Amino acid sequence: MMKGSPLSGRDSKNPNQTTINVTDGTLIPLKDEGSLLSAWNISFFGAVALLVILPLFSPDPYLRILSFVPDGLVATFSVTLISIFFALLIGLFAGLGRISQKLFINRIATVYVEVIRGIPLLVQLFYIYYALGPLLRLKGPPAAILAMSICYGAYMAEIFRAGMQAIPKGQMEAALALGMSRSMAMRKIIIPQTIRIILPPIGNEFIALLKDSSLVSILAVSDLLRRGREYASTSFRYFESYTIIALIYLVMTLFFSRLVGMMEERLRHRGKVH
Amino acid sequence: MEKYIEINNAVKSFGSVKALCGVSLTVKKGEVVLVIGPSGSGKSTLLRSVNRLERLDSGEIFIDGESVTDPNADIRHIREEVGMVFQSFNLFPHLTVIDNITLAPITVLKKTKDEAIDQARSLLAKVGLSDKEKAWPEQLSGGQQQRVAIARALAMNPKVMLFDEPTSALDPEMIKEVLDVMTELAREGMTMLVVSHEMGFARAAANRIIFMDAGQIVEEAPPETFFTSPREERTRKFLEHIL
């Protein structure tokens, strides 16, 4: 993995592998932090230890809180996974639109990306749930998924665009010279190569979305944060409730960021190990 | 001999840079024509116009009587019959050698997989890489990659082959293996338009040499006359640099 940014331009070890720099990716553990006392190890195992020790030594309220929130965890994951799925779909087509040579399509995709990226996610959630509520008549969870998909679709579009533009021009030319149509070349040549280099940034977006999904707790979605809030407001154990919630989020995001880091490492070596 | 490639008064600019200022050229069937010239002389642009990777501003190009430059031309069909080899090989890095070669025959020519694989194997034998069919492009040397790229282009059974500086990105010891394949192709009667400075190949295989400078054809002659007694001063100056 690279210093500072896991997704920077060209890897010195492997100059043929093009990677792209889309997000800051601060969550990804760095290679030189591989020691036992790395920041990642301290944070992850520290959080896990607290999640074990606190309920063990002080079951009331910690164990009660832990047993109160699992269905919130399910809600958090469903909203995240469904949203990321639709965001990827929207992102693929909007990303294709962003590099389209047809001016009309290009403009629509670019305006979508600019507008959505210019409005905070929380405002978009309010907009779809409250402002468009009378029109869309959506309940909390579908409204949350719709808003998160549209919002993250715009960020995904930029990842797809950057990924496709990172493929050398000669790839498209070689495909065209062989008699392929532009769309066939996209499907067979450009997109398969794009996916390989955009998996790590997509993993990062997934982590960001997992964290941002806590925003949907204000739309009457019983996600992890909302379950914690419910427990806190009936028991008045604010410190304990939110400590557990924070620790659970931390363990999840650190776990997934390590996963993304490993995936990135594997993709870097793919092709040589076959 | 019949005209196979016919270029009439080709003009192309990139912004304020004039790449082609009215170039006319014909290549007959089975002929091997080598285009040389200093960088920026328009030779690659000319080659890339033949299968319309570059669109001309004006002028016409015909391949076997079919117009390439007509906006309504069935350019995909024309490209099926025009193989192209690039300076940077442009193999598809996510596909193995054999898949690189069979992809277009299967998807474009609708060949069966078995048929395409049989043909790919005989092409790999021809370029001397039978043992590499399962290899990934990045496991191959530059010379091997370029030979795979030639095999990939030949898999479409092209009637003409375009070579855009095929050896410029290669280390000297790999140049010969690529030129040998090209010389063999020329001997088999393939119509070839080659942008290259390989004088050895020019002497061994070319029927004609075209010298381009500043978007124009300065001189054209058979290799013997071209190298020994060039007519134009500009040609002589250029040859002094490269010989």
Side-chain angles (χ1 to χ4, degrees), chain B residues 210-226:
Chain B
I210 310 279
F211 175 61
M212 277 185 77
D213 191 18
Q216 283 171 320
I217 293 179
V218 176
E219 181 160 358
E220 72 178 272
E224 321 79 75
T225 18
F226 185 86

Side-chain angles (χ1 to χ4, degrees), chain A:
Chain A
M1 260 148 282
M2 260 156 293
K3 239 189 162 88
S5 165
L7 307 162
S8 60
R10 291 237 162 208
D11 184 358
S12 52
K13 276 186 298 185
N14 184 358
N16 294 323
Q17 169 104 39
T18 309
T19 50
I20 52 171
N21 192 353
V22 181
T23 57
D24 55 9
T26 47
L27 271 168
I28 309 291
L30 306 178
K31 185 136 216 177
D32 52 344
E33 293 184 347
S35 73
L36 207 59
L37 286 178
S38 71
W40 189 90
N41 279 345
I42 293 172
S43 322
F44 183 77
F45 292 108
V48 170
L50 281 174
L51 279 176
V52 174
I53 292 165
L54 288 177
L56 218 58
F57 287 93
S58 173
D60 185 22
Y62 289 112
L63 193 59
R64 284 163 178 270
I65 301 169
L66 258 189
S67 51
F68 189 78
V69 295
D71 43 337
L73 209 55
V74 173
T76 289
F77 268 103
S78 344
V79 168
T80 303
L81 288 175
I82 299 172
S83 302
I84 204 99
F85 173 76
F86 285 113
L88 281 171
L89 266 187
I90 295 172
L92 171 61
F93 286 106
L96 284 167
R98 290 273 282 135
I99 57 167
S100 171
Q101 290 168 345
K102 296 193 176 75
L103 188 68
F104 180 66
I105 294 173
N106 191 310
R107 276 298 138 75
I108 291 181
T110 307
V111 167
Y112 159 69
V113 169
E114 292 296 332
V115 167
I116 296 300
R117 291 204 308 171
I119 301 173
L121 175 56
L122 187 55
V123 176
Q124 291 181 41
L125 284 164
F126 278 7
Y127 203 83
I128 285 184
Y129 189 61
Y130 296 113
L132 298 180
L135 194 75
L136 298 172
R137 295 176 191 286
L138 288 176
K139 289 209 167 63
I145 287 167
L146 180 65
M148 305 250 298
S149 305
I150 291 176
C151 178
Y152 271 81
Y155 292 91
M156 292 294 185
E158 285 303 90
I159 292 177
F160 274 102
R161 179 195 57 75
M164 289 187 277
Q165 284 178 341
I167 307 298
K169 231 179 86 199
Q171 291 290 308
M172 176 56 93
E173 289 184 347
L176 292 178
L178 286 166
M180 290 189 213
S181 66
R182 212 162 254 284
S183 68
M184 191 188 284
M186 280 315 262
R187 271 182 289 128
K188 300 275 182 188
I189 305 300
I190 307 298
I191 291 177
Q193 291 184 57
T194 304
I195 287 174
R196 188 170 148 186
I197 58 174
I198 66 175
L199 273 178
I202 283 180
N204 273 347
E205 289 300 303
F206 171 79
I207 293 166
L209 205 153
L210 182 65
K211 290 188 289 175
D212 277 351
S213 74
S214 61
L215 289 171
V216 306
S217 60
I218 52 161
L219 301 194
V221 179
S222 291
D223 75 327
L224 185 58
L225 177 59
R226 179 137 184 139
R227 291 295 282 170
R229 213 168 82 190
E230 284 167 7
Y231 188 89
S233 58
T234 50
S235 65
F236 302 105
R237 300 278 204 161
Y238 290 100
F239 176 80
E240 294 86 345
S241 306
Y242 288 126
T243 301
I244 291 292
I245 297 300
L247 287 172
I248 295 175
Y249 273 114
L250 185 61
V251 167
M252 291 194 302
T253 50
L254 286 173
F255 172 75
F256 285 115
S257 65
R258 173 52 60 99
L259 220 57
V260 172
M262 277 160 44
M263 179 171 74
E264 205 192 10
E265 193 73 1
R266 274 197 54 177
L267 286 170
R268 180 151 299 137
H269 294 299
R270 219 200 75 161
K272 288 190 196 127
V273 288
H274 285 277

Side-chain angles (χ1 to χ4, degrees), chain A residues 14 16 169-171 173-181 184 188-189 192-193 196 270-274, chain B residues 48 51 53 76 79-80 82 84 86 90-95 103-104 107-108 110 136 138-139 152-153 156:
Chain A
N14 184 358
N16 294 323
K169 231 179 86 199
Q171 291 290 308
E173 289 184 347
L176 292 178
L178 286 166
M180 290 189 213
S181 66
M184 191 188 284
K188 300 275 182 188
I189 305 300
Q193 291 184 57
R196 188 170 148 186
R270 219 200 75 161
K272 288 190 196 127
V273 288
H274 285 277
Chain B
R48 291 162 53 83
N51 65 350
L53 287 182
R76 280 175 59 195
R79 282 171 179 159
E80 286 170 22
V82 181
M84 184 156 190
F86 300 86
N90 297 348
L91 291 183
F92 305 132
H94 62 302
L95 300 177
L103 178 67
T107 56
V108 178
K110 309 289 175 206
W136 297 85
E138 66 182 37
Q139 296 170 319
R152 179 177 69 177
M156 297 296 286

